[in-house]
Amino acid sequence: MVQIYRFAAVRPERRYSEKIPSVPYDVVTAEEARECIEKNPLSFLRVSRPDAELPDISPHDDRVYKRAREVFDSMLADGQLQRDPEPGMYVYRAVQDGEEFIGLVCCVATEDYENRRIRRHELTRYDKEEDRTRHIDAVGANTGLVFLLYRDPGEIFSCTHSLIDGTEPDGSTTTGSGVLHQVYRVTDEAVLSRLEDLFSAVPETYIADGHHRAKSAVNVAERRRSDGRFTEEAGKFMVVLFAHDRVRIHGYSRLVTDLGNFTLPGFIDALLTAGWNVRPYGKVDAADYQIQPLATGEDPVHVMHFYLEKTWYEVSRPVRDPADLIGSLDVSVLQKEVLEGMLGISDPRGDPRLNYMGGAKPLSGLERLVDSGEYALAVAMQPVQVETVLAIADADGVMPPKSTWFEPKLLSGLVIHTIN
């Protein structure tokens, strides 16, 4: 069963709720964060990316994490951030391109991560873990949300959604791209107990986004247990729970700097020799990247779109072993047979020849990067089905890096959970 917990959040004082929330720390570089802060000195990136304001020292220097804590404390002291007077939960509402997403912000126990009631489908990297572990420990807070999915037994979504009908949000901001983010505070005892009871019928949850934030929160709990600084709140971390069938998932495009020893005709010939069907393709747009249900009895097919020398190609082949959940993913076959097998890119996490572009960004962006000469090849991927992600997590499987891009993308600084 899933056990969820109330907490008294730190949130922007209402008049600052438009300015303080920011994109997550890991979707911007330090330079990009610095530019955001220069435009908006109230940005929560000052807390989540303190290295942006300390460009002359290592981003892993103790002074960087100390700076995050100092800025956080200063925002509290100045009244820009305020703590709610009593524990509760929070409805998170995002509206993007006319589509509404509703989630529940609460806390979960770190032990649920350790015993796998919170399931995951990605590996974490030690360097990224260590950075967030030190950040959470220094600030004394979970400053970013972990995005969890749950299978709704039937009433959770409707109950959560009903809590915002006819009410005003307690915090609201609109991003530069026009996405509305709102939080609604829930403190009614009967309602909170009802939510807790509903989730007790859910056997497990799944990390969609925030694997490093979750693991880092677990690390902090372990460190504080060992050195005597443990508190009840340190044994929990902040999440937002979305029904698995009420989110959106996109593919993660690949960008490759060169074709190695291949010319374009030689690369196409190698694909054909390996059993791929290759045909020049017309204009590719986002509509092509929604998974279409297979007809009854129809065999699954790998379909990817390659962009080289101002031309899109559709590259396809029947899936050879559909029972292999991970090996049959498009991203797995692309990595093994094409990126590694043909182009020699064996480390998808660290090879400088390989880069990624996620989300439903216009594919004209891929064209532009290839046409400029910065990259030789772009590969547009179809999204993995959410049920496939959950099935892999249930089987203790690990998906290749950059397999999924879940939306909505959640902001940092709208809701904060302190652990001191």
Side-chain angles (χ1 to χ4, degrees):
M1 64 173 255
V2 171
Q3 189 165 0
I4 59 175
Y5 297 92
R6 313 167 190 188
F7 70 106
V10 169
R11 297 186 296 111
E13 198 274 335
R14 188 178 291 271
R15 81 189 106 154
Y16 298 112
S17 69
E18 181 69 34
K19 286 286 191 180
I20 289 177
S22 72
V23 296
Y25 77 97
D26 54 352
V27 303
V28 288
T29 65
E31 182 178 351
E32 290 168 338
R34 187 157 51 250
E35 291 174 359
C36 291
I37 292 167
E38 288 173 355
K39 293 176 183 175
N40 174 21
L42 288 174
S43 172
F44 197 70
L45 285 167
R46 296 191 65 211
V47 176
S48 63
R49 283 302 301 258
D51 56 318
E53 295 189 289
L54 299 170
D56 297 327
I57 63 177
S58 165
H60 306 300
D61 190 289
D62 286 345
R63 290 171 290 177
V64 172
Y65 302 101
K66 182 180 178 183
R67 172 61 171 266
R69 178 59 182 264
E70 290 171 347
V71 173
F72 183 64
D73 287 347
S74 175
M75 294 179 81
L76 278 167
D78 291 345
Q80 296 162 353
L81 294 174
Q82 294 184 343
R83 184 183 302 278
D84 286 330
E86 61 183 320
M89 297 182 194
Y90 305 81
V91 177
Y92 193 116
R93 177 176 184 259
V95 181
Q96 178 175 338
D97 299 325
E99 186 173 10
E100 182 184 62
F101 301 93
I102 299 291
L104 180 68
V105 179
C106 56
C107 281
V108 295
T110 56
E111 66 181 26
D112 283 348
Y113 179 98
E114 296 172 289
N115 63 27
R116 297 205 70 262
R117 277 198 288 269
I118 298 171
R119 299 188 175 175
R120 47 269 193 196
H121 63 267
E122 288 184 7
L123 294 174
T124 54
R125 285 175 46 174
Y126 176 77
D127 58 336
K128 291 187 175 182
E129 264 186 52
E130 182 64 11
D131 169 61
R132 280 305 101 175
T133 298
R134 294 175 67 188
H135 187 273
I136 293 169
D137 200 22
V139 179
N142 304 131
T143 59
L145 289 156
V146 176
F147 187 154
L148 295 187
L149 301 176
Y150 64 92
R151 290 189 176 96
D152 192 344
E155 298 181 55
I156 297 177
F157 174 80
S158 59
C159 177
T160 305
H161 196 287
S162 70
L163 299 177
I164 67 174
D165 291 341
T167 63
E168 290 296 318
D170 292 279
S172 181
T173 187
T174 302
T175 66
S177 59
V179 181
L180 174 67
H181 296 260
Q182 297 175 320
V183 291
Y184 298 75
R185 184 168 170 242
V186 182
T187 58
D188 183 273
E189 176 63 33
V191 171
L192 292 169
S193 295
R194 174 67 172 152
L195 289 168
E196 291 162 352
D197 182 59
L198 286 171
F199 271 100
S200 71
V202 177
E204 61 274 314
T205 59
Y206 302 81
I207 299 178
D209 195 10
H211 284 79
H212 288 93
R213 290 189 284 278
K215 183 60 167 66
S216 298
V218 173
N219 293 346
V220 170
E222 291 176 349
R223 292 184 184 184
R224 291 192 170 204
R225 280 192 183 96
S226 66
D227 65 16
R229 294 181 297 130
F230 186 76
T231 62
E232 181 180 352
E233 292 305 311
K236 304 170 187 173
F237 61 96
M238 181 176 65
V239 303
V240 58
L241 290 149
F242 286 93
H244 84 287
D245 56 352
R246 295 182 180 273
V247 296
R248 187 167 290 278
I249 187 171
H250 299 281
Y252 236 115
S253 301
R254 271 63 175 158
L255 289 153
V256 183
T257 58
D258 62 79
L259 297 181
N261 296 324
F262 288 107
T263 61
L264 173 57
F267 182 60
I268 299 297
D269 286 344
L271 289 169
L272 293 168
T273 301
W276 292 93
N277 301 307
V278 182
R279 69 180 180 92
Y281 195 80
K283 181 71 174 176
V284 175
D285 58 35
D288 294 308
Y289 286 87
Q290 300 302 316
I291 288 284
Q292 299 301 317
L294 294 171
T296 302
E298 185 177 346
D299 293 330
V301 177
H302 297 294
V303 179
M304 295 168 265
H305 292 88
F306 288 19
Y307 186 70
L308 307 99
E309 296 188 10
K310 298 186 181 295
T311 302
W312 282 102
Y313 297 87
E314 184 176 86
V315 179
S316 63
R317 193 192 72 199
V319 175
R320 291 173 178 167
D321 184 7
D324 182 353
L325 288 175
I326 298 174
S328 64
L329 294 172
D330 289 351
V331 287
S332 297
V333 175
L334 173 70
Q335 175 58 40
K336 181 179 179 181
E337 298 189 16
V338 180
L339 298 181
E340 182 173 355
M342 296 181 186
L343 302 181
I345 298 173
S346 59
D347 179 9
R349 294 179 180 273
D351 196 306
R353 296 170 61 205
L354 178 64
N355 212 332
Y356 301 89
M357 187 176 84
K361 296 180 181 179
L363 297 185
S364 58
L366 295 176
E367 295 176 349
R368 196 161 47 247
L369 289 166
V370 173
D371 292 345
S372 71
E374 185 176 354
Y375 295 95
L377 165 67
V379 184
M381 309 296 295
Q382 294 193 89
V384 180
Q385 296 183 71
V386 178
E387 286 287 1
T388 299
V389 178
L390 271 54
I392 289 171
D394 283 336
D396 290 336
V398 176
M399 298 177 73
K402 307 295 185 183
S403 294
T404 59
W405 176 282
F406 280 96
E407 289 185 343
K409 284 298 178 188
L410 308 169
L411 297 184
S412 295
L414 263 176
V415 186
I416 302 151
H417 167 241
T418 55
I419 64 173
N420 288 336

